[in-house]
Amino acid sequence: MQFGLTVTSVLTLIAMCVPGYLLIRSKLLKEEAIAILSAVLLYVNQPAFSFYSFQSQPYSRAILGNILTVAAISILIHLIVLFASFFIFRCDRNKFRGRAYAFASGFGNIGFMGLPVIRMLMPDNPEVVIYLAPTIAFFAAFPLFIFNVAVPQAVLFPIKYLSDMIVPMAMLILGMRFGATDMRGLFSDWGLYVSSFIKLIITPLLAYLMMKLARLDQTVFTTVFILMAMPAANMGLIIAEKFGGDREASAKAVLGSSLISIITIPLVLLML
């Protein structure tokens, strides 16, 4: 994949973060707005994105096979990385902090970063989004896809508009998270560097080797590889907030790895 295209795409995504950052720093929006917009992205934009992607492609056995292949490879990679990460971070005296960084090492930010990056880097290949389908919309869209049932255009048009919002909305929210965070202590924890190295370097390299051995379809190969190069998932921070984990370590893992990924994503994708 062309280095210039990747850098341009990443810089474009960063530019979309700026309004969110300024809205929080200028106090035009309160920090509580992050949770509200995140809910809109999770429960409206992502389902619309998945549903519209299935409707954009006719059924074929090849695509169905690719969906199953992506699922199998992703599960295997996650299990390997998670097992290794929990083993590495078990030495941390603070078990909650260790678990936060282990989680961050294993799970990538597919919804907030992966989908937008895929959309930017592979705009002429909409079928790749079918392989992701991260929401409950999958259960509504997949049967229609299997039986080649087309939704009326009058219904599909508003779904498409909601789908198109996913990239700017995700980046706006990420910018707001940066605006609400004290950046001075962000890189003060050794766990951030270890978990980011595992997530941003080791994981995509492992995925690359496994998929090379499996001789996968190039579209599937590229899609999975890009996703495995994404920074830590926001879900770790959400879980820490809701169930009493180490919120500080989770926030550092998410935001720190997101900043580091600005450099690593273009470099790692040179392998494609």
Side-chain angles (χ1 to χ4, degrees):
M1 186 167 287
Q2 293 182 0
F3 182 75
L5 173 62
T6 306
V7 171
T8 301
S9 299
V10 171
L11 291 177
T12 301
L13 293 174
I14 294 171
M16 292 184 192
C17 294
V18 174
Y21 178 85
L22 294 177
L23 284 171
I24 294 295
R25 299 303 294 180
S26 63
K27 302 189 184 303
L28 289 174
L29 284 180
K30 295 183 179 179
E31 188 175 344
E32 290 76 12
I34 299 174
I36 297 172
L37 291 179
S38 296
V40 174
L41 179 68
L42 182 63
Y43 298 119
V44 178
N45 300 127
Q46 284 188 8
F49 191 52
S50 298
F51 190 91
Y52 183 77
S53 299
F54 272 103
Q55 282 290 303
S56 300
Q57 293 293 321
Y59 169 78
S60 73
R61 286 188 176 182
I63 292 179
L64 179 60
N66 286 342
I67 293 173
L68 297 176
T69 301
V70 168
I73 291 176
S74 298
I75 291 171
L76 181 58
I77 293 172
H78 279 90
L79 288 175
I80 294 172
V81 174
L82 278 172
F83 179 80
S85 299
F86 276 107
F87 179 80
I88 291 170
F89 285 102
R90 71 175 183 173
C91 64
D92 196 316
R93 294 180 180 178
N94 183 334
K95 65 178 182 179
F96 293 107
R97 181 175 57 195
R99 290 172 184 173
Y101 283 125
F103 186 95
S105 302
F107 290 100
N109 202 349
I110 293 176
F112 282 70
M113 283 286 287
L115 292 178
V117 171
I118 289 286
R119 191 72 175 267
M120 292 288 292
L121 294 179
M122 306 176 71
D124 299 324
N125 213 337
E127 72 182 68
V128 298
V129 183
I130 292 178
Y131 308 148
L132 313 181
T135 67
I136 197 170
F138 172 83
F139 297 102
F142 190 67
L144 300 179
F145 169 72
I146 291 293
F147 294 105
N148 269 330
V149 177
V151 173
Q153 289 297 313
V155 176
L156 203 57
F157 275 142
I159 293 176
K160 179 182 184 301
Y161 292 138
L162 291 171
S163 168
D164 290 341
M165 291 172 60
I166 192 168
V167 175
M169 180 70 85
M171 294 302 102
L172 184 72
I173 293 169
L174 185 59
M176 292 171 71
R177 285 197 181 278
F178 281 122
T181 301
D182 183 1
M183 306 295 287
R184 289 172 295 182
L186 185 60
F187 294 98
S188 61
D189 197 333
W190 68 271
L192 168 63
Y193 297 99
V194 176
S195 66
S196 295
F197 181 74
I198 294 172
K199 184 68 202 71
L200 300 173
I201 303 297
I202 299 299
T203 300
L205 289 178
L206 176 63
Y208 185 90
L209 292 174
M210 291 177 61
M211 291 188 294
K212 274 292 186 183
L213 292 174
R215 298 182 180 181
L216 296 181
D217 172 85
Q218 186 59 41
T219 300
V220 177
F221 188 107
T222 302
T223 302
V224 175
F225 186 73
I226 291 174
L227 293 179
M228 292 302 156
M230 291 300 106
N234 284 345
M235 186 56 66
L237 179 55
I238 295 172
I239 291 174
E241 290 173 339
K242 288 186 177 296
F243 300 104
D246 192 322
R247 186 185 183 282
E248 181 181 355
S250 297
K252 286 181 178 181
V254 172
L255 298 177
S257 65
S258 296
L259 285 174
I260 296 171
S261 72
I262 295 172
I263 299 172
T264 60
I265 290 175
L267 294 177
V268 168
L269 295 188
L270 285 173
M271 298 177 65
L272 293 176

